[in-house]
Structure formats: structure tokens, C-alpha cells
């Protein structure tokens, strides 16, 4: 039963595990979550752009990009002014960093799950 479940509620008061219906992209074979219009971002869902005149950056929060004043959480470590990445802290103070998926490699992943070397 879903009583006592601590997973995030998705739809209808339940999580995905307990039966919440989640719409996936209508593009054939795509498992990504659908955005407005029934498709994922990869297949044409529109990304919101900053409401500041002439700016084409993607909206982060409150209708604007970081450059135009979107509120961003700061690292919770004393005296640190970096932006929080995950868990309220920056990478320097312990936010998880994705590593290269190549066997035996411990470099930071840059793009597509692999480091610059791979």
C-alpha cells in the first residue's frame, strides 16, 4: 500500500511506484517525460526564454535567467558565496559530481557521461 511511502507525489496523490500515471513523449520509442504539447524537449517541446528584453537565455526561476536576477540558492557552508548545486552545497563543499562512465576512469564527466579524454 502507499501508506507510509516517502516518494514524491506525482499525480493523483500517489507516487509513480504506487500507480501515478506519467505521460511519456509521443515520439515513437522515446521514454522521456512529455512536456507541454505531448513531446519531450529533445523532440520539440518549447523551452521558456528570459522575459528581459532581447535576452534569449533559458528561464531559471521567476521568469528570468540568472543574469537578469533569477533567485539562486547559495552554498550553505559558512563564508561560501558559490551557488548551491545539490543538497544545499556547492561542488567544493560536497555536492555530488558525475564521473566518467568509462571503466577505470575517475575523471569528471563533461558531456554524454564521459570525460574530455573519452
Amino acid at each position: 500500500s502507499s501508506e507510509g511511502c516517502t516518494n514524491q507525489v506525482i499525480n493523483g496523490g500517489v507516487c509513480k511506484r504506487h500507480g501515478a500515471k506519467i505521460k511519456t513523449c509521443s515520439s515513437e520509442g522515446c521514454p522521456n517525460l512529455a512536456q507541454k504539447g505531448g513531446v519531450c524537449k529533445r523532440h520539440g517541446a518549447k523551452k521558456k526564454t528570459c522575459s528581459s528584453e532581447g535576452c534569449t537565455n533559458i528561464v531559471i526561476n521567476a521568469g528570468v535567467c540568472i543574469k537578469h536576477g533569477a533567485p539562486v540558492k547559495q552554498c550553505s557552508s559558512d563564508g561560501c558565496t558559490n551557488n548551491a548545486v545539490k543538497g544545499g552545497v556547492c561542488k567544493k563543499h560536497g555536492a555530488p559530481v558525475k564521473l566518467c562512465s568509462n571503466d577505470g576512469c575517475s575523471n569528471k564527466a563533461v558531456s554524454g557521461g564521459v570525460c574530455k579524454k573519452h
Side-chain angles (χ1 to χ4, degrees), residues 14-96:
V14 292
C15 68
K16 182 179 178 184
R17 181 173 166 210
H18 290 106
K21 302 241 187 293
I22 298 173
K23 293 182 181 175
T24 55
C25 180
S26 60
S27 187
E28 193 173 326
C30 183
N32 295 331
L33 295 179
Q35 307 291 315
K36 282 187 177 177
V39 292
C40 67
K41 289 180 182 175
R42 178 180 285 166
H43 292 110
K46 300 275 189 249
K47 295 176 186 170
K48 291 184 180 177
T49 55
C50 180
S51 61
S52 188
E53 195 173 321
C55 183
T56 57
N57 293 333
I58 295 171
V59 167
I60 300 297
N61 200 343
V64 290
C65 65
I66 292 174
K67 182 179 175 184
H68 292 108
V72 180
K73 289 183 181 177
Q74 298 289 303
C75 178
S76 60
S77 187
D78 286 338
C80 184
T81 58
N82 293 331
N83 292 337
V85 177
K86 193 166 188 177
V89 290
C90 66
K91 290 179 184 174
K92 182 178 175 184
H93 291 109

